Amino acid sequence: MLIALTIAASSLFSTEAPVHNGRARQLDVRPPRVEAEIVVDGRLDEEVWRRAAVLTGFSRYAPDDGVPADDSTDVLVWYSPMAIHFGIRAYAQPGSVNATLADRDRIYNDDYVGIFLATFDDGKQAAVFAVNALGVQGDGILVERGVTSGGSFSGLQNGREPTDVSPDYVFDSKGRITDYGFEVEIRIPLKSLRYQGAETQSWGLNVLRRVQSRGLEYSWAPAQRAAASYVAQFGRLQGLTGLTRGRVLDLNPFVTAHAAGARDVDDRFDYASDVEPGANVRWGITNAVTLSATVNPDFAEVESDAGQIVFDPRSALFFAEKRPFFLEGIEQFATPNQLIYTRRIAEPLAAAKVTGKVGGTDFALLSAVDDRGVSLGDDRPIYNILRVQRELGRSSRLGLAFTSRLDGPASNNVLAVDTRLVWRRIYSAQLQAGGSRTVGLQGDPVFGSVFQADLRRLGRTLGLRYRLNVLDEDFRASSGFIGRPAIAAATLNHTVSRYGKEESFLQRASFDVTLNGIWKYRDFVGGEEMLERKLHLNNNVTLRGGWEAGFSVLIETFGFDSDLYADLFVERTVGNEVRYEPFVGDPDLGNLDYVLFLRTPNFKSFSAEAQYLWGRDENFFEWTGADIHWINASLNWRPTEQLRVAGTYDAQLYRRASDGSRVGETRIPRLRVEYQLKRTMFVRVVGQYFADYADDLRESDRSNAPLARRVGEEFVRARGFSTVNDRPKEINELRPEILFSYAPSPGTVLYAGYGGMLSERDAFSFSRDGVNGLRRQEDAFFLKLSYLFRT
């Protein structure tokens, strides 16, 4: 049946242009230049499509590469002076295509096609334009910088790096499901791209197709997963001439209105409201250089940050950037050790940036003025951030990062150089060295340093990663994100992979051994022992159809971190006298944990995954051994083309090894229901419950004496660490959110929503008791209007 449909469709859609078979390595494509404009309607029936170049002959890319694709795909491509056009005919078994009327960037549980355009043909970056079978869009940018996973429970993975979906490009797409599969039409305006200034250009090109019913990815260019660069394996669009962006000047004014309420000291609900206008402007100085500016940028928090569990109180929680102005071009500010983190600019009044590429040099400069409310004194903090990267042959580069935060007399400056070198296709190395100079409101400058070396071999059978990262205890990055300062960390990772035959039930199996050691910085430079030693044994399999499973054994030793417990004391009662002695924990805690992982394929109506960890782990609350249970699970249900339901559940429970009593527990269920009224409009309801418990601490492995913390000259009974500061013993919060969204294109939006917070004494009781039951504590109504004027 499928063969007959394919033959019939091929005869119906015959073309006059050459066919470029990817498996035959016919990767140099000269698409026709046609002076025409057509309506993007998802039907490739205009005469111009018969002249388009044809890309065919796809190969498998994931979970394994090197064999012909199971389903045929034809991609037609031509260009006009101001846009490039793609038409996709994807063949599939009848009834097997997954497609929903999703919101932007939420198509990746569907069948989709991704177009990678490396407009600078530098072998390391590409803009990504993805569409599902209904033409719903997802987009982003791929910049290769060596961020493949390693050292986690999944082991060291080869294959392409993840796409950053932060950018939103303006482009047109329509699609429809057909009797032979689906058909999609895409028009990408040159205004939405940055590209070279040459008269005749060559762009890197690849097309990737995801078939959810099989759990497979297909690639037009026969790319290999065992490679340090995915982009360097692309084919090419050649002979592009007469490209015209026209004037690129985008004005994006917006206004946000808030009415926020909270209980006052008399337990009455008091509201305050405000209306804040602002604007973003974007000017394409050249084809490759863009100037952007903003006044009073909005945070665009149409959905709050999902709750996170604190696993180690010494490590900070990371929250991704969400503001549109800072998201544009964010990939150009990426550095090793995340020395640039734009969310540090908390409440900017104004900001400007220039991003672009000249010759073989990428550069990005950002300046911003923050609000006095986040100052160390009474001044407005000023940020200046510079990132420069220079090509070193194909796929390699040399980079420089400089950040400055000036806050009256206080300041922090960071200067670092880094490089990524790729050779012999599967080897790469990343190096970084830098320093900081920090001056407080009063005092002399303090200097610190940072160093990183990361060597990788991404072979098909054998994968290696050796990494050393050293952060001086005086190193500060006020414009960056340092998850855990003042440490040195070494990682040795070895992965062995085996692959099944084309139709085998077992597609891939890997065994991964990870050794990890962490020192305090002063112990590392002094040649002292490690603070933490970890051995992780990870086993992972990928099965036919897209099933994934894993099992890990974690063997760890944690040394007592005296800095973390410097303010903790043991309360001793001797006769009628109460004494407080410094807390001294076990010098070495031995852990033995187990991890199970399971992920289903993306079935037509649902997908799920779960990870469960259990065993004997460090009790950070009281620095002793504890029985731990940790689960992370998610379920995505798509009962109709328009309705999507996503649920997640995170839970962590610590029980004392001495008596089994509960010392700490966090549970975070979250439910997200979204109904797509039409492609540009949806209604979303989100509910998240945060239940957090921390017992009064005691010396549970010894005397059971209470533990206390020194506050000024007094001592108060201690409770455990938490995501909430100054916490009571138990925190139970319900956060409901409702959002209406109308977004016909990036930059033009209407958001109207509500968010609130209710609390109760007993977790998940949902009692109506007026004192101890569920009570509204705060809420907010908001409205955002934004319009993109594009000349």
Side-chain angles (χ1 to χ4, degrees):
M1 178 68 175
L2 180 60
I3 294 174
L5 287 172
T6 302
I7 294 173
S10 298
S11 62
L12 178 63
F13 300 132
S14 61
T15 68
E16 304 167 3
V19 174
H20 301 268
N21 189 302
R23 291 197 305 275
R25 304 204 66 83
Q26 297 168 350
L27 303 180
D28 292 330
V29 181
R30 289 184 174 271
R33 183 180 187 273
V34 183
E35 298 270 357
E37 287 297 328
I38 62 174
V39 176
V40 177
D41 57 6
R43 296 181 181 274
L44 308 180
D45 51 9
E46 291 91 348
E47 179 62 28
V48 67
W49 290 110
R50 295 184 177 274
R51 301 168 56 187
V54 182
L55 316 182
T56 188
F58 280 60
S59 307
R60 279 195 195 179
Y61 180 71
D64 193 13
D65 54 41
V67 298
D70 307 74
D71 305 278
S72 296
T73 308
D74 292 334
V75 179
L76 311 181
V77 55
W78 60 277
Y79 72 101
S80 65
M82 301 191 71
I84 185 165
H85 297 255
F86 291 90
I88 295 102
R89 299 188 183 102
Y91 301 94
Q93 294 286 347
S96 67
V97 176
N98 290 11
T100 59
L101 203 63
D103 188 25
R104 190 183 196 90
D105 289 332
R106 298 190 182 277
I107 65 171
Y108 300 110
N109 290 324
D110 298 342
D111 283 36
Y112 67 89
V113 173
I115 296 169
F116 294 76
L117 288 178
T119 55
F120 291 102
D121 198 22
D122 56 7
K124 66 173 183 293
Q125 62 181 318
V128 184
F129 300 86
V131 291
N132 72 1
L134 299 178
V136 180
Q137 298 177 358
D139 49 11
I141 191 161
L142 171 62
V143 179
E144 293 182 333
R145 51 182 184 270
V147 293
T148 49
S149 62
S152 184
F153 306 141
S154 62
L156 188 64
Q157 301 288 313
N158 57 21
R160 74 180 189 279
E161 297 185 27
T163 298
D164 182 350
V165 298
S166 301
D168 285 334
Y169 301 111
V170 177
F171 68 106
D172 302 308
S173 62
K174 290 287 180 65
R176 60 192 181 94
I177 296 177
T178 67
D179 55 358
Y180 63 83
F182 64 91
E183 187 170 280
V184 172
E185 185 176 6
I186 301 170
R187 177 185 182 272
I188 303 172
L190 297 184
K191 284 180 181 289
S192 297
L193 296 171
R194 292 189 307 116
Y195 55 89
Q196 313 155 43
E199 181 64 27
T200 301
Q201 303 201 16
S202 174
W203 295 359
L205 169 70
N206 196 26
V207 182
L208 197 75
R209 178 183 172 189
R210 176 75 183 183
V211 179
Q212 301 293 1
S213 62
R214 299 183 187 272
L216 299 175
E217 284 184 357
Y218 307 141
S219 173
W220 170 64
Q224 296 180 328
R225 297 179 60 81
S229 174
Y230 172 67
V231 178
Q233 302 180 74
F234 285 5
R236 281 183 176 78
L237 291 174
Q238 293 187 330
L240 303 177
T241 62
L243 303 182
T244 305
R245 290 176 94 201
R247 179 192 301 164
V248 178
L249 181 60
D250 295 346
L251 178 61
N252 191 196
F254 53 83
V255 60
T256 57
H258 294 81
R263 293 189 181 277
D264 59 19
V265 293
D266 298 320
D267 203 33
R268 295 177 304 187
F269 233 76
D270 186 31
Y271 279 91
S273 60
D274 67 330
V275 177
E276 295 188 12
N280 301 327
V281 62
R282 174 177 173 264
W283 175 35
I285 301 174
T286 69
N287 293 343
V289 179
T290 301
L291 170 64
S292 304
T294 185
V295 177
N296 198 25
D298 69 304
F299 212 88
E301 279 192 303
V302 296
E303 184 176 348
S304 62
D305 294 309
Q308 299 185 46
I309 292 177
V310 174
F311 297 100
D312 185 338
R314 297 167 296 184
S315 299
L317 294 179
F318 177 83
F319 295 95
E321 179 64 88
K322 294 183 177 182
R323 295 166 291 186
F325 172 80
F326 293 102
L327 286 175
E328 183 189 357
I330 194 172
E331 74 282 350
Q332 293 185 273
F333 291 97
T335 72
N337 273 305
Q338 207 149 4
L339 301 183
I340 300 173
Y341 179 48
T342 55
R343 200 153 165 172
R344 293 292 183 211
I345 309 172
E347 300 178 24
L349 304 177
K353 63 183 174 183
V354 180
T355 59
K357 188 181 185 87
V358 175
T361 302
D362 292 271
F363 62 91
L365 173 64
L366 169 66
S367 295
V369 179
D370 219 343
D371 189 76
R372 284 195 177 94
V374 297
S375 171
L376 298 174
D378 297 323
D379 297 280
R380 298 188 190 278
I382 298 174
Y383 290 84
N384 288 290
I385 297 171
L386 174 66
R387 177 69 168 147
V388 179
Q389 299 179 79
R390 176 69 182 178
E391 294 176 11
L392 298 177
R394 193 162 183 84
S395 302
S396 299
R397 54 139 181 92
L398 176 67
L400 177 144
F402 172 76
T403 69
S404 171
R405 184 183 190 272
L406 302 176
D407 189 358
S411 65
N412 171 257
N413 297 313
V414 175
L415 178 64
V417 294
D418 61 272
T419 186
R420 182 171 187 253
L421 306 173
V422 177
W423 71 98
R424 293 181 58 184
R425 192 175 59 80
I426 63 172
Y427 292 93
S428 67
Q430 189 173 79
L431 305 172
Q432 182 187 58
S436 68
R437 179 183 185 273
T438 306
V439 179
L441 293 176
Q442 298 176 344
D444 297 327
V446 176
F447 297 89
S449 62
V450 60
F451 172 79
Q452 182 186 107
D454 191 329
L455 173 66
R456 306 184 193 197
R457 181 189 192 274
L458 294 176
R460 177 177 171 82
T461 301
L462 178 63
L464 305 174
R465 183 186 186 189
Y466 303 144
R467 183 175 187 268
L468 176 65
N469 199 48
V470 182
L471 294 162
D472 190 322
E473 57 191 357
D474 291 323
F475 180 78
R476 303 287 185 272
S478 298
S479 305
F481 179 85
I482 304 298
R484 186 175 172 185
I487 63 167
T491 300
L492 284 77
N493 181 274
H494 299 79
T495 299
V496 177
S497 300
R498 301 292 293 177
Y499 298 86
K501 295 182 179 179
E502 185 175 342
E503 297 302 325
S504 298
F505 176 70
L506 178 64
Q507 296 285 295
R508 179 181 183 267
S510 67
F511 175 65
D512 173 84
V513 179
T514 300
L515 293 168
N516 180 260
I518 295 179
W519 296 259
K520 290 185 177 180
Y521 175 78
R522 56 180 175 269
D523 292 337
F524 177 77
V525 296
E528 303 295 330
E529 291 187 1
M530 298 179 188
L531 183 66
E532 300 170 17
R533 298 178 293 276
K534 303 176 184 178
L535 169 62
H536 292 181
L537 308 174
N538 305 309
N539 302 271
N540 293 274
V541 295
T542 301
L543 307 178
R544 188 173 60 197
W547 291 88
E548 297 180 37
F551 175 68
S552 299
V553 179
L554 317 180
I555 304 167
E556 303 172 337
T557 301
F558 278 68
F560 179 66
D561 191 343
S562 57
D563 294 338
L564 185 63
Y565 299 92
D567 65 339
L568 201 61
F569 295 80
V570 183
E571 182 181 305
R572 310 270 191 208
T573 302
V574 181
N576 295 325
E577 184 181 1
V578 177
R579 300 177 183 174
Y580 294 93
E581 302 174 357
F583 175 74
V584 179
D586 192 325
D588 286 298
L589 293 181
N591 298 338
L592 180 60
D593 298 309
Y594 306 93
V595 184
L596 278 175
F597 169 75
L598 178 66
R599 176 182 291 137
T600 74
N602 285 321
F603 294 114
K604 200 159 191 176
S605 61
F606 81 93
S607 59
E609 66 177 78
Q611 186 166 265
Y612 175 51
L613 180 150
W614 76 98
R616 179 61 56 86
D617 210 75
E618 71 279 359
N619 171 1
F620 272 116
F621 305 99
E622 299 168 335
W623 196 253
T624 184
D627 295 322
I628 184 175
H629 297 272
W630 173 72
I631 187 168
N632 173 263
S634 66
L635 172 67
N636 290 283
W637 181 41
R638 301 171 292 279
T640 72
E641 187 180 274
Q642 294 171 274
L643 179 62
R644 295 182 302 280
V645 180
T648 61
Y649 182 68
D650 286 281
Q652 176 181 265
L653 170 64
Y654 285 92
R655 292 193 178 276
R656 295 181 176 94
S658 57
D659 59 11
S661 60
R662 182 176 60 160
V663 62
E665 182 177 19
T666 303
R667 291 171 288 170
I668 311 177
R670 182 181 176 90
L671 182 66
R672 187 175 188 268
V673 181
E674 195 166 276
Y675 187 79
Q676 203 79 25
L677 299 168
K678 58 181 184 178
R679 180 171 163 179
T680 59
M681 187 184 304
F682 69 80
V683 177
R684 182 171 70 213
V685 178
V686 177
Q688 176 179 287
Y689 198 101
F690 184 93
D692 202 24
Y693 171 87
D695 197 13
D696 292 336
L697 302 187
R698 49 190 168 93
E699 198 179 33
S700 59
D701 61 338
R702 298 176 187 175
S703 65
N704 272 330
L707 299 181
R709 284 194 172 88
R710 176 181 286 167
V711 180
E713 299 298 321
E714 300 181 353
F715 291 88
V716 296
R717 290 285 176 89
R719 296 191 176 97
F721 306 102
S722 170
T723 52
V724 181
N725 296 322
D726 301 324
R727 48 169 295 122
K729 188 169 185 176
E730 189 166 1
I731 291 176
N732 304 301
E733 296 176 350
L734 173 64
R735 294 186 176 271
E737 299 178 9
I738 302 173
L739 175 73
F740 169 79
S741 169
Y742 173 62
S745 65
T748 299
V749 298
L750 164 63
Y751 295 135
Y754 166 83
M757 191 272 281
L758 302 89
S759 66
E760 61 183 346
R761 188 185 67 178
D762 300 319
F764 301 104
S765 66
F766 303 104
S767 168
R768 296 185 179 181
D769 185 317
V771 177
N772 300 314
L774 203 59
R775 299 185 73 215
R776 184 170 53 121
Q777 300 296 335
E778 59 184 49
D779 60 13
F781 300 87
F782 69 91
L783 177 71
K784 176 183 175 180
L785 294 170
S786 172
Y787 190 83
L788 176 63
F789 294 93
R790 166 166 277 197
T791 61

